[in-house]
Amino acid sequence: EVQLVESGGGLVQPGGSLRLSCAASGFTFSSYAMSWVRQAPGKGLEWVSGINSGDGSTTYADSVKGRFTASRDNAKNTLYLQLNSLKPEDTAVYYCAKYANGDPPSGGPPPLYKYDYWGQGTQVTVSS
């Protein structure tokens, strides 16, 4: 059974940092691209970042580029997202998601229906 379990969310002041983790099990983690997707209150899902399986190359939404860093530890079956210089507009539930077929083609974030498993999410609240 595939499981994705996020952790590390919380309440942080603007300008602060958090590190999110996503523990994966039930599949060969190293063989699949993974992504972080968030949902702000009252809004739809927003793709945030992706990391490929092979070379670990990363891509980011313009809204988080330069502030967030995705990484993975294939030995620990864990995905990470380092969130720095947080802004109130980063407040959201953050989900990790498994890409269904290895690595996505290059040229922009994949459509969200291409992800076949999602975690339960972890809440990040940025407020003073």
Side-chain angles (χ1 to χ4, degrees), residues 30-123:
S30 59
S31 296
Y32 293 89
M34 301 291 294
S35 281
W36 289 96
V37 179
R38 68 185 180 184
Q39 187 167 30
K43 296 189 177 181
L45 293 170
E46 177 191 17
W47 178 89
V48 172
S49 176
I51 183 166
N52 279 355
S53 64
D55 60 4
S57 57
T58 53
T59 51
Y60 300 93
D62 287 343
S63 58
V64 307
K65 200 172 293 183
R67 299 188 298 121
F68 291 7
T69 303
S71 61
R72 63 191 299 162
D73 185 335
N74 289 336
K76 295 183 177 179
N77 290 348
T78 303
L79 175 72
Y80 302 98
L81 187 67
Q82 178 69 39
L83 292 69
N84 295 332
S85 303
L86 281 161
K87 305 175 182 180
E89 53 263 43
D90 294 318
T91 295
V93 178
Y94 284 72
Y95 300 92
C96 64
K98 170 187 168 291
Y99 189 73
N101 294 298
D103 288 332
S106 59
L112 295 180
Y113 68 82
K114 292 284 192 178
Y115 294 91
D116 56 356
Y117 290 94
W118 297 69
Q120 85 290 348
T122 187
Q123 176 71 47

